[in-house]
Each structure stands twice: as C-alpha cells, then as structure tokens.
Amino acid sequence: PSEGEEVIPDGLDALELGVQVHKMFEKIINLDDWKRIRKTLDSSLRFSEKDRHKIMERVQGVMNLDSAMMFFKQGIHVEVEVDLVDQSGEVLRPDRLVRIDNVWHVIDYKSSKLGKVSHEKQVRKYVNLLSKIETYEVKGWIIYTDPTELIFVV
C-alpha cells in the first residue's frame, strides 16, 4: 500500500464491498479512466486478491453494459458526487450527473436491488431537484452492480 493508505482486511462484507465499488466509480469519468484505474487496482496491495477480483468484476460489469456505455463516453459533461441543496436546506448528492446533448442524466449506483423502492424514490428526488435548477430535461437511472443492470426510473 502507498504511505498513509489503509490496508483492507481479506473478506469484505457486502456493505464494505459496495463502498469500495462506489469509490471506484467516483474516480471514473470515462472508459479510459477505468482502464487506468483497473491497472492500479490490479497491482494494489490494499485488498486481498479475492476482494480485488470482486471489485473489478462489479465495475467491469457496468463498463461492459451496452445500455450504460453512453454515460462513460469520451467528451460528455460529467459531474461526480455534486452537492445539490433543496429549498429546505437538505443536501442531496447524486453519484453521477451526465449531460448528453440537452438532457441531464442522474445516475445512482446500488450494490443490489434490496430496497429498490427506496432507491427509485431517492433518484426521483434527485431528478425533481435538478429539474428545478436546470432548464434541460432531466432523466433518472439506477445502475445495479450485483447483478449488473441499468434501470430507467423517470
């Protein structure tokens, strides 16, 4: 591990695995970023080989998802983990905002479909708020990483 980098013990539980996968997505603006990050992760001593494989498998699954490729193309406008504040002062932080042509896409990553109804409610909340801020059309999506699937919410 790099100096100051925490070593993660073998056998990440489901929550920890989801957090680590999410951290990978925070670093990925486009597919080229993933290629670079994957090489770094592959040689990382921070995770056990088994956990590295799980993390890489989940992220690669999303990168291989044809329906999600539009969100990772070169040259599109991407914002990651942006704070949005609603009228009551509540801070909302969608995982990824992508503007393609004149449409904003709000993307939220989730490890599994457990809690799907609350996931969709959360994305709707992001879309409603961004729609009040932006003049462009806003759409909302969830990318599940296990199993890998892109769901259109609104």
Side-chain angles (χ1 to χ4, degrees), residues 82-86 90-94 97 126 129-130 133:
V82 174
D83 287 346
L84 304 174
V85 183
D86 71 9
E90 181 182 2
V91 177
L92 305 176
R93 186 177 295 133
L97 299 176
Y126 295 153
L129 179 56
L130 193 59
I133 298 169

Side-chain angles (χ1 to χ4, degrees), residues 24-33 63 68-83 94-101 103-109 130 134 143:
M24 290 296 126
F25 282 119
E26 287 177 18
K27 299 174 186 176
I28 299 170
I29 300 301
N30 59 53
L31 194 53
D32 288 341
D33 293 328
M63 295 297 123
M69 286 304 301
M70 65 180 170
F71 302 130
F72 298 95
K73 290 191 311 191
Q74 286 283 107
I76 59 173
H77 180 88
V78 176
E79 297 181 30
V80 179
E81 298 289 329
V82 174
D83 287 346
D95 294 334
R96 184 178 187 90
L97 299 176
V98 177
R99 194 179 73 228
I100 302 171
D101 298 323
V103 179
W104 279 103
H105 299 271
V106 177
I107 297 117
D108 214 42
Y109 304 112
L130 193 59
E134 292 291 336
I143 296 179

Side-chain angles (χ1 to χ4, degrees), residues 3 9 26 36 54 60 64 66 69 80 83 92 94 104 114-115 128 131 138-139 142-143 145:
E3 187 176 326
E26 287 177 18
R36 179 181 41 77
K54 284 181 189 173
Q60 189 64 55
N64 290 343
D66 288 339
M69 286 304 301
V80 179
D83 287 346
L92 305 176
W104 279 103
L114 287 174
N128 288 337
S131 294
V138 182
K139 296 181 179 183
I142 299 171
I143 296 179
T145 63

